[in-house]
Structure formats: C-alpha cells, structure tokens
Amino acid sequence: MSQFRVLAGVLKCGGRHLLPWRGGGLTQRCWADPKRGCSSRTDPLPAVVSSSRYVEEMYFAWLDDHKNVHESWDSFFRNIQASTPSGEADERRPSALLQGRMMSHSLDMAQKVVEDHLAVHTLIRAYQIRGHHVAQLDPLGILDADLDSFVPSDLITTIDKLALSGLYGLDESDLDRSFQLPHTTFIGGQEMTLSLREIIRRLEASYCGHIGVEFMFINNVDQCQWIRQMFETPGIMQFTNTEKRTLLARLIRSTRFEDFLARKWSSEKRFGLEGCEVLIPALKTIIDSSSGAGIDSVIMGMPHRGRLNVLANVIRKDLDQIFCQFDPKLEAADEGSGDVKYHLGMYHERINRETDKNITLSLVANPSHLEAVDPVVQGKTKAEQFYRGDTQGKKVMSILMHGDAAFAGQGVVYETFHLSELPSYTTHGTIHVVVNNQIGFTTDPRVARSSPYPTDVARVVNAPIFHVNGDDPEAVMYVCRVAAEWRATFNKDVVIDLVCYRRFGHNEMDEPMFTQPLMYKQIRRQEHVLKKYSEKLIAEGVVTLQEFEEEVAKYDKICEEAYTSSKDEKILHIRHWLDSPWPGFFTAEGEPKSMSCLPTGLDEEVLQHIGQIASSVPLEDFKIHPGVTRILRGRADLVKNRQMDWALGEYMAFGSLLKDGIHVRLSGQDVERGTFSHRHHILHDQEVDRRICVPMNHLWENQAPYTVCNSSLSEYGVLGFELGFAMASPNALILWEAQFGDFHNTAQCIIDQFISSGQAKWVRNNGIVLLLPHGMEGMGPEHSSARPERFLQMTKDDPDHIPDISGDFEVQQLYDCNWIVVNCSTPANYCHVLRRQILMPFRKPLIIFTPKSLLRHLDARSSFDDVAKGTKFKRLIPNEGPASQSLGQVKRVIFCTGKVYYELAKERKRQNLDRDVAIIRLEQISPFPFDLIREEAEKYTNAELVWCQEEHKNMGYYDYVRPRFLTVVANKKPIWYVGRDPAAAPATGNKSTHLNELKKFMDTAFNLSAFQDRNL
C-alpha cells in the first residue's frame, strides 16, 4: 500500500479523522476547505496528495484557525513559519519558498503521522488481545494465571519499554503527543484524542488490573464492542455505598458460615469455601442482575467445594437442616440410601430482596464425578424453558460452577459447550463460574493442563472469559454484573474465572504442604478477604467498625440458634433435599397416589388414525424421496391389514401419548431417520432446502408437541442432558437412543451415578428411557452387544428371595426396583411398555434393548388385536404352538429373550420338535417375573429347563437369571446354559465364525440328550 493510500485510510471521511473542526460547540471530523471550512463527505486524498494543493488547503485552514487542523500539522506549520522571512509569512498565499519547504517535508511528515497513529491503534489492540496475560489475577502473588511469566512484547507495561520494544516506532518523547482514538476503543469516554501517556495508563487500568478480559477471538463486532465499552469506559466500575454494604454483608455470611462449621466440626469433611469466600456474593450478584432482567428461575450445578455454603447463603436452606447433617447419631428415614451432605441438592422459592421479585432456585444434586452434572443442569433448564414457552431464555437460566482442574480436564465440559447453541439443546446462555483454586487436589496446574488458562475450552463457542482476582470483591461483583448483562443481551455462554486459592487441603483433613509448600506458606500469611475489604470500607467511611462487628455478631447468633435447633432433629429426611419436586404428582408425603397401573391398550379408532398419519405426508406440495414413499406405502399396507412392524408400534405408543397431552421427546444420534432407516419421523422436501415435515405433530388438533432431534456426536453429554430434561416433569416421555447399544459406554458415568442410583441417593424419581440397539448379527464386536449384563448387575432385587406375591405384584415390583430392563420381541409389547412408562403412578428409568434385524423381520409383526383395549404389556410370553397343548410330553423348556427367539423357533420347526420343546420369551428381565416363571416351570414338570442366549456366557443375561431360576425351583433342578462360550470381546469380527457359533448353540439347544449324565 502506498503512503498516500495509508494516509487516506486514516484520514478518510465517515470515521474518526486527523483533522478536527470545531463549530457550534460540537467536535466534528471532516476535510478542511479554505472557502467553506469543511468540504463535502467525499474522499479527495488520491487526487490531491500528489500535488501541493492538499498541503495548501491544510495551510489555509490553519491560517483561519490553528485549531482547524491536527496538532501535528499545527506544529509543522509553526516550524515552517518560524523559519520563513517575516515579509513572506504575512501573505495569505504561501510564497514559493514556503511552498517548497512545505512540499519537501509534507510527504515525510504525512507518512510519519499515519505510522504513529497506526502504531497507537496497534498498541490499543494489543492490550485488548493480550492485556489479560499481565493482569494481576493471583491473590497470592506467586503464580501467573496463564502459567507463563512472559510479558508479551507488544504491551508497554513500563515507559522505558516503549522505545526498547521497537515495535511501534515511538519513544518517550511521544508520550505527551495527542493521538486520535479509533472507533474500536472506549478509553476516551467523551474525548476523541488522548496523549499517548494517558492512552497507556487507561489501557493498563482496563486490561491489566484485577480483571483480565479474553474476548478478541469472538468473531462478532457488536459483541466485541459491547465488551470494550463495559471494561474501557472511564469510571464505569463504580459502586454506591449501599451496594458496598450489601457486598460486605454477604461476604460476612460466607466467611462466618465456614468459620462456624470449622469451630463446631473441626474433624469433619465439609469441603469448605475458605480462600474463595467471594463466590457467595458473586452468585448472589448474578442472580440479582438476572432477576432484574426478568429471570425468575435459576438452575444451578456445582461440585462439592462450597456446596454447603451455597445451600445456606444462596439457596437459603434452613441452617438447622444443614447442621444436623453433621450429627453422627441422626437416623436415616426409610427413603433410600442417601448421600453425603456435600452432594445434596435443594429447591427453594423465595423473594429476591434486591429486586423484590419471586425467584426459584434449584441446586441439582450430583456425585463426586466432577462436571458430570453439567449436561444434567442444561437439560433441566431446557425442559423448564420448554414447558413455560420460554423460547428465548428470558425466564429460566442456568449457572454452572466448576473447579479449575476439572473444567480443563473433563471432556464432558467440551460436550456440554457444544450443545449450547444447538436448536433442540440450547438454554440461551449459561453463566459459568470457575472457582480457580490454582490446584487440583494435589496436582499443580502446570502438569494438569496444556492450555494457558483452565477456561480455554470456552473459546470453542466464542464465550467471553472474564478472569478476576478473588481478593478484590468489587472487581468480582462488577464482572458478575457484566456476565449477567451479557447473557441477558446476547443469550450466549459466558465464563467467569474466579482466581483464588484453597486455604486448606483438598478436604479439611488433608495436608497440602506435602506437595505445595511454597503456595501454602504464602496462604498461611494471606489475610482473609473479609478483613481486607472491611478495613477498606471502614477507611472509606462506608461503614464503621461498630457496624461491621454488629453484622458479624448478628450472623454468628443466627448460626448458634440454628445449631441449638438442629439438636432436636432425630431423623434425616432425604426428601427435604429434593432438587426437582413434582407438585401434585405424589402425595404430600412423596408416595404414589395409587399402586395400580392404568390399562395400556388402545381403541381401534386411535390405531387406525395414527396408522394413517404415519403412512402419509400431512403437508401439501411436499415432495419426499422415492425410497421414503415406498416405506410409507408399506406402512399403509400394514395398517390396512391391521398389522404393525416395529416402527409402527413405536408410532402407536408416541401418538397415543401425544393425544393424552404427554410430551414426547426422542433424542440421540440420527434418531430422526433412525440408524437403520426405519423411523423417518422427519420428512425432508426433496426440492426445497430445509423444508421438513413432522407427521407426528399433525395427529390431533390439541395434542402435546413431539420433539425428535438428532444430537451432536456425544453420549455422555447428551444422555446427561436428556436425564435432566426428564427431571423437570413426570408428564413427559423422554427417550435417548444410542446409535448402537454399546455406545452407551461413553455415558457410563451418567448411567451409574445418576440413572441407576439417583432415586436411592437423592429420592429423585426419573422416567428416562434408554433405547439400546442390541443383537448378535455378525457386525463385529463394536456393533453387537448393548452390554445387558452391566444393567442387570446394577439391579437391586435379591436373587435368593421371592418377594411376597400378593396384590398387584407387577406394580409393586416396579415400585421397589431401581430401574426396569426389558428386551421386547414384538412391536405390540414395545408399544405397551412405552405406554406403561407414563401410565405408572411413579417413575422409574426404563432400559430397552431394541432390535436391528427384527425391525423388518416378517415374523416380528403384531396384530392390532395385540394392542387393543384390554391388552397390556406381557412380562413373559408363553410358548405358542403344539407343546402348550401336551405339557406332559414336553422334554425341554427353553427360556430366552429378544431376537434369538425367532432363530430358535425357526430351528425347532426345521427339526420338527414343536411338541417336544417349548420356547418361552422373557420380555421383562428386571424386575424378574418370579410369579410368571414359577407358573411356567410348574406347567412342564417333566421337562428340563434351559436358558438360551446368543451372547457369550460371561455376558448377556445368564449370570442374572440363573440364580433367580434356581430360587424359583427351590434348587431342585438345574437351569442349563445354551449359548456362546465365554469370551473377552462381545462378538467375533468374522462372519463365518459368527455363523458357526450360531449353528453350534442351535444344535445344542435342540439336542435333547445334550445334558444327560452332566453334573449339576
């Protein structure tokens, strides 16, 4: 770029220019015109810079008024005039000598002006990009928050560095020169020019103090400008005396709460907040600001550190309920196994004192598995927004708290961030607060992460990151206020990196000096933030020492009174800590309103109507793919013949629930079409891009909405999200489908810590449904088994004890279990079990091993009669055929589950053993149907009992069903095993081996002498 074009770029009209003209009290920037004072808004530079005319125009403007030109031109003309003979200097038109001198210097001078301004602009941008690297963030003063003591060379942190850097072509003599400010900064306030010295000072104050701002990676100009204005505008970080007193009072409560626990229970683990007491006023500031913006429900998730303090001083859990948790003599109510106090959640409605508005606060219970709660909170938030019609997140929001080591180290954080702006998963902005202790248990951050900051993962979604020194309460409050305003303005995630320290070890019993001696020597010398801030306010005259001491005494008295009251508590009720109550669903005592299940059968009219919609396109002029046309035509033929395949059975279940006002949400990888191209719940117009049709939403005029959504390629995050969604309401069927059953492996934490044990730990009912495609079909070890053995191992029923079979035994078993495991072999049973999931008077997780080849198997079809009025889910399907008519002649009873039934039935028919072998299908595996198994075993008194499965012996169902079968028959006869031999991998990768294995165990299943002379 030539020097003239550079000059034009800096001086052009429409932006901020080097030539100010003051008229009418306003500062404007335009081109000088000797005749009119200001030219039209056109750019004359390319035409005039090549001659002396431009300089003459500048000169004439300067003669009219020296203030008409930039001070650099003013200085230039003064110097020229000073060296010009006096006679010539008085002329209006420059003399030839003056013109010559002016021309000899003008180009060099113009280029210097441009270069200096560009250098200043670059300097400003350098601070905006990298100022956070030198911000004073560590309260201890011994570590750099970005793990690097290197100071970026383009930051002028000291005056002598200005010349030494050599980057800008500026030196100390330029410090008092004034420079025009670019439109990408707000450090000038109302001023358009500042001296270089003042520019550096203001940049240092904005970006290198106790707040470090990371935002220049954001690719949205408006958002960057908004952040600049929030942190650069002079004097913007101001607090009234009332706000300061409120902050102090909150800091007192946060600090004295921890002090009280430490005095009363010095040897108890409590994972206190010491070193980051400012978290409590920080959270309350976020909630206050959000409440003022219209938010009336906040859902929070956090790790164990500081949880009791948050429960006490943010959620406002009764202190006596917290203190009684420390009593070792407190008896547990008969509500489950419970959990440690620093894992529990809470739900509370109250008035926000700052805004005088109602606010509902929910802290979600979670295990020690750090960050596992993140997607759960997001799902619950999304559900509440959905049910309230809050499509922009203006009423319901989430706050997630994190530890620094976990935020950087746990992959679910990344998965959760990538859900943040997906249409069916966004919560319209989450405020993340990282409690940055600068240590993970005993691990130094320098060996715990590769990124400069623990918060760098947030950059992937362009979330601004505000680093702040935790020992500067006012800076923390300001950052929290800005974060809340950001979320309200842009509905995007934002991260607050609260740089603090951990005054004790990982827990109060731990010795941190073993591994961090330098840090903990400094921590022992470190004054408490409450002491420093109270002294500051007393010095400012905001409060007096007496007022401060009275506030401390007031809260101490509250704690003492609650402690006394807590001694009256004799029984711990876990339901008092429920984080997601369902008003009206249970009785006041939390019990089901009945112990019976409504019938799951359907009217013929409903079946026909749903079948017609499922086999048609409800929209006009909507062109679908020819392959989909064939699928719909096939469905229509099935409906005409009053039959259903697997896809239609699912349609019947979903559609009938929607008719009754039950929201249905199906989520997972490729669920809209279905992994095996059987579902097609979203139709795509082949001629209009992104035009879609969801026939399920065209069933009834006043139906509930149906949501089907492909998820990101995540299991851990998405399953956690759907679990949270299911927490919000019992009147919804929430399903997560794995692309293949074994893909739930990467979501094992959610399954183990939340789904399997959630009710026992937290008295939290949840009716989430997991659809896990399962079956040995020669597709290799990774696409075969959904690992049923894992789910069955975690069921809590006793294999050696038959429950009391009385009353509605089926419902009682369901109520007593921790989850339900089924492997349906017919579309009708699949339809029934989905409907039963909603019609039960309580909620339990449902694990369904769904088929693959059976989706199109001609024998795996059901008649409408199988789902008609009066029918219900069959926990067990008895033998169908001649063997049932001659029970005494049956030599072998084969019990099985799922797809292998069809292979067994085919082989039985081939060998003409229909009268000798009975095949019974176990559809509900857990809770184990002791009553029905006993009935079948007693029918075939002369037959040997066999369990047949296609899975390997050390997998599948055998280890679960065998002891229960033996209990049923009182150990009087064996239950023989037929199936694949034990193996390390779930299935072979060789097709031939797969078929040989199948043939081998089929031969054994129908070899009626296979178990003769064998020992039990």
Side-chain angles (χ1 to χ4, degrees):
M1 182 185 291
S2 70
Q3 60 189 11
F4 304 124
R5 293 181 66 188
V6 172
L7 188 62
V10 176
L11 302 182
K12 68 180 180 179
C13 290
R16 293 180 173 178
H17 313 287
L18 297 180
L19 179 61
W21 169 71
R22 292 170 175 81
L26 298 175
T27 300
Q28 301 181 15
R29 286 166 173 77
C30 43
W31 296 111
D33 188 323
K35 298 177 182 178
R36 295 180 295 172
C38 184
S39 77
S40 62
R41 292 278 175 173
T42 57
D43 189 349
L45 270 179
V48 301
V49 172
S50 60
S51 69
S52 64
R53 182 182 171 193
Y54 170 66
V55 180
E56 288 185 29
E57 289 180 349
M58 299 289 283
Y59 178 64
F60 287 132
W62 177 75
L63 287 177
D64 288 339
D65 186 342
H66 292 183
K67 294 180 180 179
N68 275 346
V69 298
H70 188 267
E71 61 183 38
S72 55
W73 284 107
D74 179 35
S75 175
F76 173 73
F77 288 131
R78 287 179 186 276
N79 291 335
I80 292 292
Q81 190 178 57
S83 63
T84 303
S86 60
E88 294 178 353
D90 293 335
E91 297 180 8
R92 281 291 294 172
R93 179 167 293 280
S95 66
L97 176 61
L98 180 59
Q99 282 186 329
R101 288 179 177 177
M102 288 163 57
M103 286 303 300
S104 67
H105 294 287
S106 61
L107 295 181
D108 289 341
M109 192 266 179
Q111 184 171 357
K112 172 63 175 170
V113 170
V114 171
E115 289 175 351
D116 287 354
H117 276 79
L118 288 177
V120 172
H121 293 186
T122 303
L123 174 65
I124 292 171
R125 184 173 176 81
Y127 272 89
Q128 293 170 339
I129 295 173
R130 282 178 286 281
H132 56 86
H133 286 297
V134 294
Q136 305 303 303
L137 299 175
D138 180 18
L140 303 176
I142 59 175
L143 290 175
D144 294 283
D146 62 353
L147 306 184
D148 193 346
S149 59
F150 174 74
V151 177
S153 58
D154 51 356
L155 300 183
I156 310 303
T157 53
T158 58
I159 296 301
D160 60 329
K161 190 179 174 184
L162 184 63
L164 291 175
S165 70
L167 290 175
Y168 300 109
L170 301 168
D171 56 35
E172 196 167 345
S173 64
D174 295 306
L175 284 172
D176 294 315
R177 284 176 56 195
S178 292
F179 290 87
Q180 201 76 23
L181 298 174
H183 71 280
T184 53
T185 186
F186 292 84
I187 59 173
Q190 297 300 313
E191 301 174 85
M192 312 302 280
T193 62
L194 289 175
S195 68
L196 179 57
R197 186 187 306 276
E198 184 64 13
I199 288 173
I200 294 174
R201 188 193 71 77
R202 294 191 185 187
L203 290 171
E204 288 279 325
S206 297
Y207 292 110
C208 305
H210 285 165
I211 298 174
V213 188
E214 276 191 279
F215 70 101
M216 289 293 282
F217 52 83
I218 297 175
N219 53 19
N220 183 293
V221 174
D222 292 338
Q223 293 172 9
C224 287
Q225 284 290 81
W226 189 92
I227 293 173
R228 291 185 185 110
Q229 186 172 14
M230 285 294 181
F231 289 98
E232 293 182 355
T233 303
I236 194 169
M237 199 177 84
Q238 299 293 331
F239 290 87
T240 66
N241 286 348
T242 299
E243 290 172 330
K244 291 179 180 180
R245 284 193 291 268
T246 298
L247 171 53
L248 179 64
R250 290 171 171 178
L251 203 53
I252 288 171
R253 286 175 171 261
S254 175
T255 305
R256 299 301 292 178
F257 177 81
E258 298 295 352
D259 291 347
F260 185 83
L261 295 184
R263 288 198 309 273
K264 297 295 185 182
W265 299 281
S266 58
S267 61
E268 280 276 345
K269 288 182 183 180
R270 54 186 168 82
F271 295 95
L273 202 53
E274 290 94 340
C276 192
E277 293 91 344
V278 77
L279 175 66
I280 299 304
L283 292 175
K284 293 178 78 70
T285 298
I286 293 171
I287 293 169
D288 290 346
S289 297
S290 301
S291 174
I295 294 292
D296 59 23
S297 180
V298 179
I299 299 156
M300 295 184 284
M302 69 177 297
H304 41 281
R305 186 165 312 285
R307 176 176 284 262
L308 295 180
N309 208 323
V310 169
L311 284 166
N313 290 312
V314 178
I315 308 293
R316 296 293 179 84
K317 176 72 175 173
D318 292 339
L319 292 180
D320 57 345
Q321 290 290 316
I322 296 175
F323 295 159
C324 74
Q325 288 272 341
F326 289 90
D327 185 355
K329 298 179 181 178
L330 193 67
E331 296 181 8
D334 187 20
E335 298 170 336
S337 56
D339 202 348
V340 291
K341 48 191 166 290
Y342 40 81
H343 287 171
L344 299 176
M346 179 61 188
Y347 175 95
H348 186 51
E349 297 181 26
R350 63 178 176 84
I351 298 291
N352 183 281
R353 294 176 181 175
E354 296 299 310
T355 61
D356 200 32
K357 294 180 179 179
N358 283 319
I359 189 90
T360 298
L361 302 176
S362 174
L363 179 62
V364 177
N366 62 274
S368 282
H369 293 62
L370 297 174
E371 307 297 339
V373 78
D374 296 355
V376 180
V377 169
Q378 300 298 71
K380 187 174 188 293
T381 304
K382 181 65 175 180
E384 289 202 12
Q385 291 174 346
F386 176 83
Y387 296 129
R388 295 183 58 182
D390 184 16
T391 58
Q392 299 298 318
K394 300 299 183 183
K395 296 294 182 182
V396 183
M397 67 172 284
S398 58
I399 300 174
L400 286 175
M401 286 155 274
H402 315 266
D404 51 319
F407 199 63
Q410 292 292 313
V412 71
V413 175
Y414 182 87
E415 293 186 34
T416 305
F417 267 116
H418 271 286
L419 296 176
S420 64
E421 296 192 32
L422 302 182
S424 296
Y425 301 88
T426 180
T427 57
H428 309 286
T430 296
I431 299 178
H432 301 262
V433 181
V434 178
V435 177
N436 187 350
N437 293 315
Q438 306 181 83
I439 187 173
F441 205 150
T442 66
T443 303
D444 190 288
R446 286 168 289 196
V447 297
R449 66 177 187 263
S450 297
S451 60
Y453 297 102
T455 53
D456 287 334
V457 65
R459 295 166 66 108
V460 300
V461 292
N462 283 335
I465 303 165
F466 304 144
H467 308 278
V468 60
N469 188 317
D471 265 15
D472 185 344
E474 290 182 10
V476 173
M477 294 314 105
Y478 183 72
V479 158
C480 291
R481 187 183 297 170
V482 172
E485 291 181 20
W486 165 272
R487 195 265 174 195
T489 303
F490 297 107
N491 291 114
K492 289 176 63 69
D493 283 28
V494 58
V495 177
I496 299 168
D497 179 19
L498 196 53
V499 185
C500 52
Y501 57 92
R502 192 185 66 197
R503 187 165 288 276
F504 303 112
H506 175 66
N507 61 65
E508 288 72 21
M509 303 296 100
D510 199 33
E511 177 49 80
M513 289 287 285
F514 290 156
T515 51
Q516 276 77 29
L518 174 64
M519 171 184 275
Y520 276 87
K521 284 177 183 177
Q522 176 59 39
I523 288 174
R524 287 177 178 178
R525 295 190 294 266
Q526 189 82 359
E527 282 190 344
H528 287 76
V529 64
L530 175 59
K531 183 176 186 297
K532 291 192 284 188
Y533 190 60
S534 62
E535 290 175 350
K536 174 180 181 291
L537 295 193
I538 291 170
E540 292 177 359
V542 176
V543 296
T544 65
L545 177 59
Q546 181 181 351
E547 289 172 333
F548 169 67
E549 292 175 343
E550 287 175 353
E551 189 69 26
V552 171
K554 175 184 174 183
Y555 188 69
D556 286 351
K557 182 180 178 183
I558 292 172
C559 290
E560 286 291 350
E561 291 174 350
Y563 174 68
T564 302
S565 174
S566 71
K567 295 180 179 180
D568 296 331
E569 296 288 339
K570 303 300 180 184
I571 298 177
L572 169 63
H573 291 281
I574 310 170
R575 57 188 171 86
H576 292 164
W577 298 75
L578 187 60
D579 56 16
S580 303
W582 292 339
F585 186 71
F586 293 113
T587 65
E589 292 74 30
E591 299 296 326
K593 292 183 176 179
S594 72
M595 283 300 290
S596 61
C597 182
L598 296 173
T600 54
L602 295 167
D603 289 330
E604 179 76 15
E605 180 183 351
V606 171
L607 295 171
Q608 288 291 340
H609 178 72
I610 295 174
Q612 290 170 10
I613 297 296
S615 56
S616 62
V617 182
L619 299 182
E620 295 182 0
D621 300 323
F622 194 97
K623 185 174 178 59
I624 60 176
H625 190 278
V628 178
T629 301
R630 287 193 298 273
I631 291 172
L632 298 188
R633 191 181 303 124
R635 286 183 187 172
D637 290 341
L638 285 171
V639 173
K640 183 179 179 181
N641 295 319
R642 299 185 66 256
Q643 285 190 320
M644 65 177 78
D645 60 7
W646 209 267
L648 264 178
E650 184 177 77
Y651 232 107
M652 297 301 179
F654 290 179
S656 58
L657 291 173
L658 294 172
K659 180 179 184 293
D660 295 335
I662 301 298
H663 171 55
V664 178
R665 176 183 168 95
L666 173 61
S667 164
Q669 297 157 19
D670 310 297
V671 297
E672 296 174 4
R673 190 203 74 171
T675 300
F676 310 102
S677 195
H678 70 290
R679 182 172 286 125
H680 295 282
H681 282 189
I682 292 187
L683 307 179
H684 295 261
D685 194 311
Q686 299 296 297
E687 295 181 349
V688 181
D689 186 35
R690 291 190 289 185
R691 186 186 182 209
I692 62 171
C693 173
V694 183
M696 198 87 75
N697 280 324
H698 295 266
L699 286 168
W700 323 96
E701 185 175 345
N702 297 314
Q703 69 172 70
Y706 173 56
T707 302
V708 56
C709 46
N710 289 341
S711 73
S712 63
L713 202 66
S714 154
E715 291 83 29
Y716 191 167
V718 174
L719 179 55
F721 187 97
E722 301 307 329
L723 174 80
F725 204 107
M727 284 169 55
S729 171
N731 299 315
L733 182 67
I734 310 302
L735 309 96
W736 175 76
E737 181 175 70
Q739 190 177 75
F740 286 91
D742 53 341
F743 286 7
H744 74 74
N745 284 348
T746 53
Q748 200 66 44
C749 179
I750 298 295
I751 293 170
D752 290 358
Q753 309 305 322
F754 290 88
I755 300 178
S756 170
S757 56
Q759 182 178 356
K761 293 191 293 187
W762 308 314
V763 200
R764 177 202 287 166
N765 273 234
N766 196 294
I768 190 168
V769 179
L770 274 61
L771 304 179
L772 307 177
H774 171 83
M776 309 292 116
E777 298 178 358
M779 297 182 68
E782 268 68 61
H783 290 135
S784 297
S785 177
R787 296 289 191 175
E789 65 276 3
R790 295 182 179 173
F791 294 94
L792 295 172
Q793 185 186 39
M794 288 187 283
T795 60
K796 73 167 192 174
D797 57 339
D798 187 348
D800 303 319
H801 173 70
I802 298 178
D804 179 28
I805 302 176
S806 61
D808 196 330
F809 179 69
E810 176 182 352
V811 174
Q812 186 63 49
Q813 263 199 311
L814 294 174
Y815 180 69
D816 291 337
C817 74
N818 59 316
W819 59 16
I820 305 163
V821 181
V822 303
N823 187 357
C824 301
S825 62
T826 70
N829 233 16
Y830 178 51
C831 175
H832 279 299
V833 79
L834 290 176
R835 285 181 49 76
R836 186 185 73 172
Q837 186 69 359
I838 288 296
L839 296 175
M840 291 189 303
F842 44 81
R843 294 291 174 263
K844 299 285 180 175
L846 172 62
I847 315 300
I848 305 180
F849 301 119
T850 56
K852 293 175 287 185
S853 61
L854 292 193
L855 296 174
R856 295 176 176 83
H857 199 295
L858 294 179
D859 292 334
R861 291 179 176 176
S862 298
S863 166
F864 279 14
D865 292 336
D866 296 328
V867 289
K869 278 288 189 180
T871 59
K872 66 175 187 175
F873 174 72
K874 297 178 180 178
R875 292 176 291 151
L876 178 148
I877 300 179
N879 179 76
E880 296 174 349
S884 302
Q885 300 164 8
S886 51
L887 302 178
Q889 298 179 20
V890 174
K891 299 180 176 63
R892 176 173 294 177
V893 177
I894 299 177
F895 290 90
C896 66
T897 186
K899 175 183 75 72
V900 73
Y901 164 76
Y902 293 95
E903 291 160 332
L904 288 167
K906 180 180 178 182
E907 183 66 17
R908 180 178 62 175
K909 184 175 182 180
R910 190 186 71 82
Q911 295 194 29
N912 196 26
L913 293 172
D914 293 303
R915 293 188 177 276
D916 300 294
V917 178
I919 304 175
I920 299 171
R921 284 172 273 179
L922 192 59
E923 301 281 290
Q924 177 177 293
I925 305 151
S926 179
F928 192 72
F930 285 99
D931 54 335
L932 301 182
I933 294 292
R934 175 187 286 176
E935 286 180 18
E936 295 300 315
E938 290 175 351
K939 282 182 188 176
Y940 305 96
T941 53
N942 300 324
E944 57 185 4
L945 306 182
V946 169
W947 175 262
C948 180
Q949 65 179 36
E950 57 181 351
E951 297 82 6
H952 291 281
K953 188 175 184 179
N954 57 321
M955 304 175 195
Y957 320 90
Y958 180 62
D959 284 340
Y960 175 82
V961 301
R962 181 178 181 274
R964 290 163 176 79
F965 268 105
L966 293 177
T967 298
V968 167
V969 297
N971 289 294
K972 293 180 179 178
K973 62 166 65 175
I975 176 78
W976 299 109
Y977 170 78
V978 172
R980 288 179 166 88
D981 294 334
T988 177
N990 182 277
K991 188 72 172 181
S992 175
T993 302
H994 166 75
L995 294 174
N996 288 335
E997 290 174 344
L998 176 61
K999 182 179 185 304
K1000 180 182 176 182
F1001 80 74
M1002 281 292 150
D1003 289 344
T1004 304
F1006 293 100
N1007 179 357
L1008 300 183
S1009 61
F1011 303 110
Q1012 288 182 3
D1013 302 324
R1014 284 202 188 184
N1015 294 324
L1016 294 181

